[in-house]
Amino acid sequence: MTLAGGNKLITENSIQTEEKVNNIKVLKFGGSSVADFNKIRHIADYLKKRVEQKEKLVVVVSAMGKTTDALLKNVATLSERPKESALAMLLTTGEQQTIAYLSIILNDLSVESVALTGAQAGIRTEGHHLKSKIQTINTTKLQALFKTKDIIIVAGFQGINHEDELTTLGRGGSDTTAVALAASLQASCEIYSDVTGIFGTDPRVYPETKKMDYVSFEEMMELSSLGAGVLETRCIEIAYNNNTKIYTGKTLSEEKGTWIVPNEQIIERKAVTGIALDEDMNYVTLSYPMHDTKVLTSLYELLEQNQINIDMISQTVNIDGMQLSFTMKNTEQYQIKAIIDQLTASYPALLHEIKDNYAKVSIIGSGMRDMSGVASKVFMSLIEEQIAYYQVSTSEISISLVVDAGNAKQAVQILCKKFNV
């Protein structure tokens, strides 16, 4: 498959001479689900039962537990600035251990399986070594393997670029791997973790929140992009563009999880479906005492070159000059500091401030399109509780506010009660 036509994934090789295998399901198990050998054995037993039901399975796995963190800690003792290509090569070994262990156990259970790295599974990537995007997936090998194998185990989070270098897909990369494979094979995707499904908000913040049986692609993309932290936005975008249904549930649990489905399959739309809290953000303000837009052009060019996303952008121009404010992920604070240093070298009068004592609270719901008064309820609810908000941005189905970090969880609780989330 390849990325084409509005990022829609289409099959790269149609296998003209051979019939495709049907009844394929793609399953993904996260790091907590495969954290030790005992857990991997239980998953193997479960997969054997699925095979006995005549299913063909592609199983995508993450690295075991905190393996990736341990690898990064090792690197920190060796170098402050490791080469990205070398770091990507190292990080891919975590998932490769998991696929090998799971395949060994499955074969001992007399289940025909094979373990593949992302590269061996036909996943081609482009972009930075540590934040690559899937460019194509060649499914020919997978289809051929299903003639003799019941389970194909694929290392998540990784692929290979046009220079045959190993790459990683960044945060949430294993979810992206699973959904992209499901899209290419025209299968559904099941993502399992230690969470029972998708809730209206983080249950640790508001324990009374309700689990959703269904949520639309559109709402899930907003929730993910605004900090809900359940699934990465990229995997939802792939699912949306290819009409690939996603099921999220707790590993080896019989409790019902949540289906993420096309928008038109959601019949009743609530004004507010979910509330996201993003505490992992920085609030950046740049001030320049002249009306010179070249500094902004230089900023945006550097942000694009470094693939840094910013949001909640506001710009003011007055007699004192220009001021630009925006929010961004705090995981990229070193990159933004380097960019600002570059800008300051060219524009010495540029001043900047990076604050980490704020949080972003977002209200999401596709029903906002048809229901009036949602914004006023949000603002009035916070004003009544004397919770200040400093910046607001909106879309058709969301409202986001920047608040003091110390008030963020209380703001979420107030809004959950107000909108029965």
Side-chain angles (χ1 to χ4, degrees):
M1 90 192 151
T2 184
L3 285 172
N7 292 336
K8 188 174 179 66
L9 298 165
I10 60 175
T11 304
E12 181 181 49
N13 290 285
S14 57
I15 314 180
Q16 298 175 353
T17 59
E18 297 175 332
E19 186 178 349
K20 289 187 178 182
V21 176
N22 295 318
N23 202 28
I24 296 174
K25 301 289 177 61
V26 178
L27 283 64
K28 182 261 177 178
F29 294 94
S32 61
S33 300
V34 294
D36 56 51
F37 293 144
N38 192 44
K39 289 185 175 182
I40 295 175
R41 288 185 185 279
H42 287 313
I43 288 172
D45 290 334
Y46 169 75
L47 296 176
K48 181 178 181 179
K49 293 177 183 177
R50 295 282 295 256
V51 168
E52 289 170 350
Q53 296 172 11
K54 307 302 180 184
E55 291 181 322
K56 294 285 188 178
L57 304 177
V58 174
V59 179
V60 177
V61 291
S62 299
M64 296 174 63
K66 301 294 184 181
T67 298
T68 301
D69 292 338
L71 293 172
L72 288 171
K73 190 175 292 185
N74 291 340
V75 172
T77 66
L78 301 173
S79 172
E80 291 183 1
R81 291 192 178 112
K83 191 175 179 181
E84 284 196 355
S85 58
L87 189 54
M89 180 177 289
L90 174 67
L91 294 179
T92 59
T93 63
E95 284 72 19
Q96 290 172 29
Q97 291 179 51
T98 314
I99 63 173
Y101 292 141
L102 181 56
S103 183
I104 289 168
I105 296 171
L106 284 169
N107 288 323
D108 280 352
L109 293 173
S110 300
V111 177
E112 292 293 334
S113 70
V114 61
L116 302 178
T117 65
Q120 291 173 321
I123 300 174
R124 285 276 172 179
T125 63
E126 60 182 354
H128 290 203
H129 286 88
L130 300 178
K131 290 197 297 184
S132 286
K133 294 183 179 180
I134 296 176
Q135 184 181 38
T136 64
I137 297 181
N138 186 329
T139 59
T140 304
K141 182 173 183 176
L142 301 179
Q143 293 284 354
L145 282 170
F146 272 130
K147 289 186 173 181
T148 57
K149 306 296 181 182
D150 294 312
I151 298 178
I152 300 173
I153 311 162
V154 179
F157 180 64
Q158 61 184 259
I160 191 168
N161 65 18
H162 66 283
E163 295 179 349
D164 288 337
E165 297 172 319
L166 294 176
T167 62
T168 64
L169 303 179
R171 182 180 175 186
S174 292
D175 291 342
T176 302
T177 299
V179 175
L181 284 168
S184 70
L185 295 166
Q186 298 179 8
S188 61
C189 183
E190 303 170 24
I191 296 179
Y192 293 101
S193 64
D194 55 1
V195 181
T196 55
I198 297 169
F199 290 80
T201 195
D202 188 339
R204 293 170 296 184
V205 176
Y206 184 63
E208 292 82 9
T209 187
K210 302 169 182 63
K211 185 173 65 180
M212 294 180 275
D213 292 332
Y214 297 91
V215 62
S216 70
F217 289 141
E218 183 181 46
E219 291 169 321
M220 196 65 231
M221 277 196 287
E222 289 282 323
L223 283 164
S224 298
S225 66
L226 294 172
V230 182
L231 295 172
E232 277 300 297
T233 310
R234 278 196 296 166
C235 80
I236 304 300
E237 287 175 345
I238 293 172
Y240 172 76
N241 289 329
N242 294 275
N243 239 26
T244 302
K245 294 181 180 180
I246 302 175
Y247 175 82
T248 64
K250 187 173 183 178
T251 302
L252 305 182
S253 172
E254 294 184 2
E255 185 175 350
K256 187 178 180 182
T258 303
W259 278 99
I260 307 170
V261 298
N263 303 334
E264 60 271 13
Q265 293 188 17
I266 304 294
I267 298 173
E268 289 192 28
R269 301 180 187 277
K270 292 177 63 178
V272 175
T273 301
I275 297 175
L277 171 60
D278 186 358
E279 296 178 291
D280 301 323
M281 59 159 277
N282 286 150
Y283 189 70
V284 182
T285 301
L286 303 177
S287 302
Y288 195 61
M290 290 169 273
H291 297 174
D292 185 355
T293 57
K294 289 181 181 178
V295 65
L296 297 179
T297 301
S298 299
L299 170 66
Y300 294 132
E301 286 175 349
L302 288 169
L303 290 170
E304 183 178 3
Q305 289 170 17
N306 289 273
Q307 296 185 359
I308 294 177
N309 292 322
I310 63 174
D311 64 359
M312 298 194 74
I313 305 166
S314 69
Q315 180 181 337
T316 58
V317 178
N318 53 40
I319 58 173
D320 296 321
M322 300 186 304
Q323 186 177 82
L324 179 75
S325 298
F326 56 83
T327 60
M328 54 167 285
K329 284 291 183 183
N330 61 10
T331 52
E332 296 175 326
Q333 60 181 308
Y334 295 114
Q335 293 96 316
I336 199 68
K337 287 177 181 178
I339 287 173
I340 292 173
D341 287 343
Q342 284 182 260
L343 285 173
T344 305
S346 301
Y347 305 93
L350 181 69
L351 300 176
H352 75 276
E353 187 176 30
I354 301 175
K355 295 183 177 180
D356 59 5
N357 56 338
Y358 292 106
K360 180 169 62 179
V361 176
S362 302
I363 301 90
I364 298 100
S366 58
M368 287 188 198
R369 287 195 185 96
D370 308 313
M371 300 180 192
S372 61
V374 175
S376 60
K377 284 183 181 179
V378 170
F379 301 142
M380 290 301 299
S381 297
L382 298 181
I383 290 170
E384 287 171 4
E385 297 295 331
Q386 298 183 348
I387 294 179
Y389 52 90
Y390 304 103
Q391 195 159 332
V392 178
S393 68
T394 64
S395 75
E396 273 195 309
I397 65 167
S398 69
I399 302 167
S400 296
L401 310 96
V402 174
V403 301
D404 291 308
N407 291 332
K409 291 181 179 177
Q410 183 188 358
V412 170
Q413 294 163 359
I414 290 166
L415 294 171
C416 283
K417 291 176 183 176
K418 188 70 176 180
F419 292 100
N420 192 30
V421 171

